[in-house]
Amino acid sequence: MTRILASFLVLGLVAGPLVSAPAAAQRRSEQGEARREMNAGNILQLRDIEARILPTMRGAEYLGPAYDSTALAYRLKFIKDGRVMYVDVDARTGKVLRRSR
């Protein structure tokens, strides 16, 4: 029994970083793409977009952004009363594209 538990523990320690690596690489890729687009003057700074959107989401906790380089859009994630909400924002203009409720 102890050997089985030890085997699972070792497997988890070895496989854990391998499973999470693609997600971390994707986040770095999105962040790098957003930075390149911002430096090229193609999109607004995230803090400018957040300054426009956060005040409109009263009572909701801001969980963070995700950048879609294909759509040139940010998805801002919020939670309020146990419900997750998304606000999709055009990264070029700051215009809200859609809100989930």
Side-chain angles (χ1 to χ4, degrees):
M1 177 80 164
T2 306
R3 282 187 181 175
I4 294 172
L5 289 174
S7 296
F8 282 122
L9 178 61
V10 169
L11 180 63
L13 292 173
V14 171
L18 297 175
V19 172
S20 65
Q26 182 179 0
R27 279 193 301 275
R28 282 193 301 271
S29 173
E30 290 172 352
Q31 184 180 22
E33 183 64 28
R35 184 175 290 114
R36 281 188 291 280
E37 292 290 340
M38 186 190 64
N39 287 338
N42 297 331
I43 65 172
L44 299 172
Q45 291 187 16
L46 175 59
R47 68 177 152 198
D48 294 337
I49 290 172
E50 290 171 334
R52 293 179 186 187
I53 303 302
L54 269 56
T56 68
M57 300 299 292
R58 290 183 200 96
E61 180 182 349
Y62 181 47
L63 300 176
Y67 179 68
D68 182 342
S69 60
T70 304
L72 292 177
Y74 279 102
R75 171 167 275 188
L76 306 182
K77 185 175 180 181
F78 298 87
I79 189 166
K80 182 178 181 180
D81 300 328
R83 282 187 64 194
V84 175
M85 301 175 291
Y86 298 97
V87 179
D88 295 333
V89 182
D90 186 313
R92 295 165 291 193
T93 65
K95 179 183 174 189
V96 173
L97 300 171
R98 76 186 62 80
R99 292 178 188 257
S100 72
R101 295 267 175 192

